[in-house]
Amino acid sequence: MNPSAHIEAVYAAVCRRNPGENEFHQAVGEVLHTLAPALQAHPEYVDAFVADRLCEPERQLIFRVPWVDDAGRVQVNRGFRVEFSSALGPYKGGLRFHPSVNLGIVKFLGFEQIFKNALTGLAIGGGKGGSDFDPKGRSDGEIMRFCQAFMTELYRHLGEHTDVPAGDIGVGGREIGYLFGQYKRITNRFEAGVLTGKGVSWGGSQARTEATGYGAVYFAQEMLATRAEGFDGRKVVVSGSGNVAVYAIEKVHALGGSVVACSDSSGYVVDEDGIDLDLLKTVKEARRARLSAYAEARPTARFSERGSVFDVPCDVALPCATQNELHAPDAAALVKNGVRAVAEGANMPCTPEAIEIFREAGILFGPGKAANAGGVATSALEMQQNASRDVWTFAQTEQRLAAVMQSVHAQCRATADAYGGAPDDYVLGANIAGFLRVAQAMTAQGVV
């Protein structure tokens, strides 16, 4: 079959069999529609229906999560775990606790995770999970009881050689602690490698908290270096103000750049003197307050509820908040204001229309499956330490992280050149490089 016709048939089947799951359709379409050169060069993958199999999760779990709030009322949430691909290793991907979570979003995240994990070169498959539970405004006791109820169902599907979750939006060190405690309680095993993102004192890895943000900046640095540029003296805009954004800001400042704006769900703050990272951490991590509190405490800053953080002129943009946050008008504004590079710190934060604007304008664009692979790479490094019962220093782990991100960048660039003659096309390079590694494993293992 002609590769292009095969791709269209696979995509049509995905849309038909997964109605209403728009984010999943978007993620699948973005990958499939770049694979024609790879399938042309490897017709055996068409004959083996690799793409068809890859778009269908190996297992999809949906379960009830009943728990009791502080007022003694019974609450019921819905839990998910999509175990997408184990061709390269145990399922690996985070858990997201947010009201927007549904099956389609979890499948989109899990599908992206397959390729992201493949690009790291480490032995991890792809999966994702979460719940429509909203931790905002909940007490520690309520969050603990929810996490215990969630793990009471999920534990039977996990294992250090089977499925290894981590954190994501709404799931940080506190939640991972409660989840791990319940897993240990139920199984009667201190199986450290079953969850990553743990506290350093009980099996976690140094630099794991910083890894996704640092990794996105390392990837952007590698892209800029192809044009003999760097972060030194550059103005940078970061969307979000959560874990990924905070540590992206930290690494940009360490490399000589200045982050002049960041955002949260209430609006964005502009600080031309550079974001005060200590103040930002106090506002968002200690006080759990809105960004307006940053502007109130910082005379050089202004807060806006209107417009977009991407309206702020910058040399580099790092969207680090959530999916589909950067739209075509935002991309047009960034290009008009002279942006040089965009690296996705979040999962699929740029819409297809925005990506097309960046590509047509010749802007360096790092897709999330490559640019934000640092988090899951360091999770895999945490698994290595757990397996050997070893502990690495922060410097050791960060050095490994930097090497992984350099390798991811080199793979994307070399693959884009080999299959498209366009080394700057990181979308093409990331998709094909990830696909080829998984396809090779799938065909070697037979029809399973």
Side-chain angles (χ1 to χ4, degrees), residues 44-124:
E44 66 272 21
Y45 296 149
V46 176
D47 297 337
F49 288 84
V50 168
D52 305 67
R53 289 188 279 150
L54 200 53
C55 292
E56 185 66 25
E58 293 176 12
R59 190 174 295 107
Q60 301 180 60
L61 310 169
I62 305 177
F63 50 93
R64 181 179 65 193
V65 187
W67 57 284
V68 180
D69 66 19
D70 287 344
R73 293 186 297 264
V74 174
Q75 303 283 345
V76 180
N77 285 97
R78 181 172 288 177
F80 303 90
R81 187 67 179 171
V82 174
E83 298 175 331
F84 230 113
S85 171
S86 59
L88 297 176
Y91 308 108
K92 187 81 190 78
L95 299 171
R96 175 176 293 192
F97 292 169
H98 192 272
S100 66
V101 170
N102 56 43
L103 183 60
I105 285 178
V106 173
K107 284 163 73 173
F108 127 59
L109 293 167
F111 185 76
E112 286 277 292
Q113 201 79 44
I114 300 171
F115 305 96
K116 182 191 305 184
N117 294 1
L119 286 170
T120 68
L122 302 169
I124 43 178

Side-chain angles (χ1 to χ4, degrees), residues 39-292:
L39 296 178
Q40 189 75 46
H42 299 278
E44 66 272 21
Y45 296 149
V46 176
D47 297 337
F49 288 84
V50 168
D52 305 67
R53 289 188 279 150
L54 200 53
C55 292
E56 185 66 25
E58 293 176 12
R59 190 174 295 107
Q60 301 180 60
L61 310 169
I62 305 177
F63 50 93
R64 181 179 65 193
V65 187
W67 57 284
V68 180
D69 66 19
D70 287 344
R73 293 186 297 264
V74 174
Q75 303 283 345
V76 180
N77 285 97
R78 181 172 288 177
F80 303 90
R81 187 67 179 171
V82 174
E83 298 175 331
F84 230 113
S85 171
S86 59
L88 297 176
Y91 308 108
K92 187 81 190 78
L95 299 171
R96 175 176 293 192
F97 292 169
H98 192 272
S100 66
V101 170
N102 56 43
L103 183 60
I105 285 178
V106 173
K107 284 163 73 173
F108 127 59
L109 293 167
F111 185 76
E112 286 277 292
Q113 201 79 44
I114 300 171
F115 305 96
K116 182 191 305 184
N117 294 1
L119 286 170
T120 68
L122 302 169
I124 43 178
K128 205 73 178 182
S131 173
D132 57 3
F133 170 75
D134 187 358
K136 285 187 177 178
R138 294 293 182 183
S139 69
D140 284 352
E142 288 176 322
I143 290 171
M144 181 184 72
R145 290 192 293 277
F146 173 80
C147 289
Q148 290 173 340
F150 184 85
M151 184 55 78
T152 297
E153 171 58 34
L154 187 62
Y155 87 94
R156 70 197 73 217
H157 304 289
L158 306 183
E160 61 185 358
H161 302 297
T162 305
D163 188 347
V164 183
D168 194 82
I169 294 173
V171 179
R174 172 182 57 178
E175 290 76 17
I176 291 293
Y178 293 147
L179 291 164
F180 182 77
Q182 184 71 352
Y183 181 88
K184 180 167 65 73
R185 179 189 197 184
I186 293 170
T187 63
N188 194 34
R189 295 194 303 271
F190 195 102
E191 191 179 332
V194 76
L195 278 168
T196 57
K198 302 182 295 297
V200 173
S201 64
W202 46 279
S205 175
Q206 298 271 12
R208 176 59 188 91
T209 303
E210 297 85 354
T212 308
Y214 278 20
V217 176
Y218 282 137
F219 193 90
Q221 183 182 36
E222 292 295 312
M223 291 197 300
L224 289 167
T226 65
R227 297 184 180 177
E229 300 177 17
F231 275 102
D232 194 33
R234 298 290 186 181
K235 285 190 174 183
V236 181
V237 163
V238 176
S239 69
S241 49
N243 182 71
V244 179
V246 163
Y247 291 103
I249 293 169
E250 183 171 280
K251 183 53 69 175
V252 168
H253 287 174
L255 294 174
S258 177
V259 176
V260 296
C262 63
S263 64
D264 66 9
S265 58
S266 66
Y268 65 95
V269 67
V270 180
D271 191 341
E272 292 293 346
D273 285 357
I275 296 294
D276 182 325
L277 194 60
D278 290 336
L279 176 58
L280 181 64
K281 287 181 178 180
T282 297
V283 169
K284 300 304 293 185
E285 297 178 354
R287 295 171 53 191
R288 299 181 185 272
R290 294 297 189 187
L291 265 182
S292 54

Side-chain angles (χ1 to χ4, degrees), residues 334-385:
L334 285 168
V335 171
K336 180 181 177 183
N337 288 328
V339 74
R340 307 286 295 161
V342 179
E344 294 186 319
N347 291 298
M348 205 169 72
C350 300
T351 65
E353 296 79 14
I355 294 171
E356 191 58 32
I357 289 172
F358 292 139
R359 295 172 81 181
E360 287 180 357
I363 305 302
L364 293 166
F365 175 74
K369 62 174 64 66
N372 80 0
V376 74
T378 308
S379 280
L381 300 180
E382 182 176 331
M383 292 165 66
Q384 286 186 26
Q385 294 170 76

